[in-house]
Amino acid sequence: MTVYGTTLRSRLMLGTALYPSPALLADAIKASGAEVVTVSLRRESGAERAGQGFWSMIRDLGVRVLPNTAGCHGVKEAVTTAQMAREVFQTNWIKLEVIGEDDTLQPDVFGLVEAARILADEGFAVFPYTTDDLVVAERLLEAGCEVLMPWGAPIGSGKGLNNPFALRALRAHFPEVPLVVDAGIGLPSHAAAAMELGYDAILLNTAVAKAGDPVAMAKSFAMAVEAGRLAYDAGPMEPRDMAEPSTPVIGKAFLP
């Protein structure tokens, strides 16, 4: 998968929040094979140098950091957070979140498009957390985004793919755009299903961080993502309404 001129071997991206310990986080990232991890600016403090141990651990893992604007509810707040993150993490990559509704954490798509345009004009490589709406997707691409990250279900819900039809439509309408399912994935089977739809990658956090064994769950997600992509590339059979015998009936012996 190539995004913003960078080729990635792994199609699984991990968040870094909610883990029981930094050691388990590090082991889960290693087990997943993920090359990209999301990091919140709130883990860092420029004045007090807080969070430096966490940042050092992430650097030592050799992964690419994708800072996010988690918790931002307006355009100005999201843009300012992105600008600060670029200085702290020394990257122009940003996972853009502009939250519009507190219960579902559904994106404010109007603010999202506006913020994406501002950041793209400033040279950011914007990874927008968005809904599965086709029109919003088109507006984000026009704003300068080169990748789309539609939700599968609300963040942290673990419900999987709430609207496979809409996700399939996005894939069909934008065949050349990297698409990443972000949010709502709860099981490896959910990730595999998204990859079988032709999606390019999966970004998840809670399903691994809150698992009884985060390391084992990270490995299982890596395997599911790979299996789903291989199945898509192989060309799955079309479903049928009627049975089709796998054994030929011609030449079958009939007893008198």
Side-chain angles (χ1 to χ4, degrees), residues 59-82:
R59 274 202 311 266
D60 291 344
L61 290 172
V63 294
R64 183 160 193 138
V65 172
L66 177 60
N68 63 39
T69 62
C72 293
H73 287 73
V75 173
K76 184 177 180 180
E77 182 184 12
V79 169
T80 301
T81 301

Side-chain angles (χ1 to χ4, degrees), residues 118-135:
I118 293 171
L119 292 173
D121 288 344
E122 292 186 5
F124 281 88
V126 181
F127 293 70
Y129 163 60
T130 183
T131 64
D132 49 28
D133 186 281
L134 286 172
V135 178

Side-chain angles (χ1 to χ4, degrees), residues 20-130:
S21 70
L24 275 176
L25 166 60
D27 288 344
I29 292 174
K30 293 174 184 176
S32 73
E35 296 173 84
V36 176
V37 299
T38 62
V39 176
S40 172
L41 182 66
R42 287 170 175 79
R43 290 186 180 276
E44 296 290 328
S45 173
E48 300 176 3
R49 305 295 292 172
Q52 292 302 305
F54 172 83
W55 179 221
S56 296
M57 180 197 71
I58 294 296
R59 274 202 311 266
D60 291 344
L61 290 172
V63 294
R64 183 160 193 138
V65 172
L66 177 60
N68 63 39
T69 62
C72 293
H73 287 73
V75 173
K76 184 177 180 180
E77 182 184 12
V79 169
T80 301
T81 301
Q83 293 166 339
M84 294 171 62
R86 179 161 60 179
E87 296 301 318
V88 171
F89 298 109
Q90 297 297 299
T91 178
N92 67 333
W93 281 23
I94 191 72
K95 180 189 171 188
L96 180 61
E97 299 182 29
V98 183
I99 301 302
E101 205 280 322
D102 288 333
D103 290 334
T104 62
L105 299 181
Q106 179 169 325
D108 171 1
V109 296
F110 305 101
L112 181 67
V113 171
E114 183 180 350
R117 181 174 290 108
I118 293 171
L119 292 173
D121 288 344
E122 292 186 5
F124 281 88
V126 181
F127 293 70
Y129 163 60
T130 183

Side-chain angles (χ1 to χ4, degrees), residues 1-11 13 35-36 93 127 146-148 171 176-180 200-201 229:
M1 179 178 69
T2 300
V3 287
Y4 290 107
T6 299
T7 300
L8 303 171
R9 296 184 303 276
S10 174
R11 295 178 181 271
M13 306 177 185
E35 296 173 84
V36 176
W93 281 23
F127 293 70
E146 297 181 14
V147 59
L148 298 171
R171 179 73 287 172
E176 304 301 323
V177 177
L179 298 180
V180 181
D200 295 282
R229 182 65 189 192

